[in-house]
Amino acid sequence: MAETTGLRERKKAATRLALHEAALRLATEHGLDRVTVEAIADAANVSRRTFSNYFSSKEEAVFHGDAVRLRRLLELVRRQPADAPPWAVLSAAAERLAVEAYGNAPPSWLLHRRQLRGHPGLVAHQIAAYTAIERDLADDVARRLTGPDRALRSRVVAATFLASLRVAIQHWIDHPDGPLHDVLRTALAETATTPPVTSAPPVTSAPPVISAPPATSAPPTAG
């Protein structure tokens, strides 16, 4: 029974990936506004109904790869040691994701990202996805903090981290002169020192913020 279930899940994953790749290819070739769900389904050799079983819209199908990478990022964060400082945890997970998900990105993928960047439909999906992952990351960070206002401080840390991650990826897409891993490490190190913060609230009247050690080598993860 388990073997049958595993095979079924692999087939579903393969179909979902085929639809994502078809949507990405057609959107790049013709522009997302000129691509229909029917065209994506045809390109993936499935029915319109099958498409609807996997995605609610063509925008969601295109964004699927990014969604997968964000879920992988959360998984990597949760695998980090429970006693590790929050910023070190986030940095290590991000650097690992950079290697796993972007380490061998072909030039064609970078071109696709540049062509589709900024489309209103995709931006809406990106905002929704980042908002959801920010909440999950903040929950994990909060468990690693001590002191007052943990809920607020964890949300600030998660939002700051995701902003740094997004900017680093966008900069690398525009200037892919080296590996994303290096760009990301620089961005996270810059965020860690501007302004400097600590994993426990400072003993002052100032609002507590989170300390982030300089990014180190990671032990990385969105159609």
Side-chain angles (χ1 to χ4, degrees):
M1 182 64 178
E3 184 175 340
T4 301
T5 302
L7 177 60
R8 186 183 304 118
E9 292 305 315
R10 288 195 295 272
K11 287 183 176 180
K12 287 182 178 180
T15 300
R16 187 176 288 108
L17 179 60
L19 286 167
H20 163 63
E21 291 178 342
L24 187 61
R25 184 179 69 256
L26 291 173
T28 303
E29 292 175 353
H30 307 290
L32 184 58
D33 291 333
R34 303 173 72 177
V35 174
T36 64
V37 167
E38 289 76 12
I40 296 172
D42 288 344
N45 295 313
V46 301
S47 67
R48 170 67 171 80
R49 181 176 180 179
T50 297
F51 177 95
S52 298
N53 289 337
Y54 290 90
F55 299 111
S56 62
S57 66
K58 60 186 180 182
E59 289 83 3
E60 185 182 6
V62 170
F63 190 75
H64 172 67
D66 287 55
V68 169
R69 286 184 281 273
L70 287 175
R71 289 195 295 270
R72 175 59 176 160
L73 173 65
L74 183 60
E75 178 183 341
L76 290 168
V77 167
R78 289 172 172 169
R79 288 184 177 184
Q80 298 297 311
D83 58 349
W87 196 261
V89 165
L90 296 174
S91 297
E95 291 186 35
R96 176 73 179 274
L97 182 69
V99 174
E100 283 187 6
Y102 301 95
N104 297 311
S108 59
W109 183 88
L110 293 170
L111 177 61
H112 293 169
R113 294 305 299 256
R114 294 190 198 104
Q115 290 176 323
L116 294 175
R117 182 174 51 198
H119 188 280
L122 296 179
V123 170
H125 275 276
Q126 183 183 53
I127 292 173
Y130 270 75
T131 299
I133 199 74
E134 180 182 311
R135 288 195 298 267
D136 291 335
L137 287 174
D139 288 343
D140 186 275
V141 169
R143 290 191 290 270
R144 300 172 184 274
L145 295 177
T146 58
D149 301 323
R150 286 192 302 166
L152 173 60
R153 291 158 54 214
S154 64
R155 291 184 64 180
V156 171
V157 173
T160 302
F161 166 72
L162 286 175
S164 300
L165 179 65
R166 178 182 54 80
V167 169
I169 292 174
Q170 291 298 336
H171 180 82
W172 175 71
I173 288 173
D174 288 334
H175 309 281
D177 304 321
L180 173 60
H181 180 277
D182 292 346
V183 176
L184 185 58
R185 178 178 293 178
T186 299
L188 292 173
E190 179 65 22
T191 306
T193 57
T194 315
V197 283
T198 59
S199 58
V203 187
T204 68
S205 59
V209 285
I210 304 301
S211 169
T216 58
S217 294
T221 106

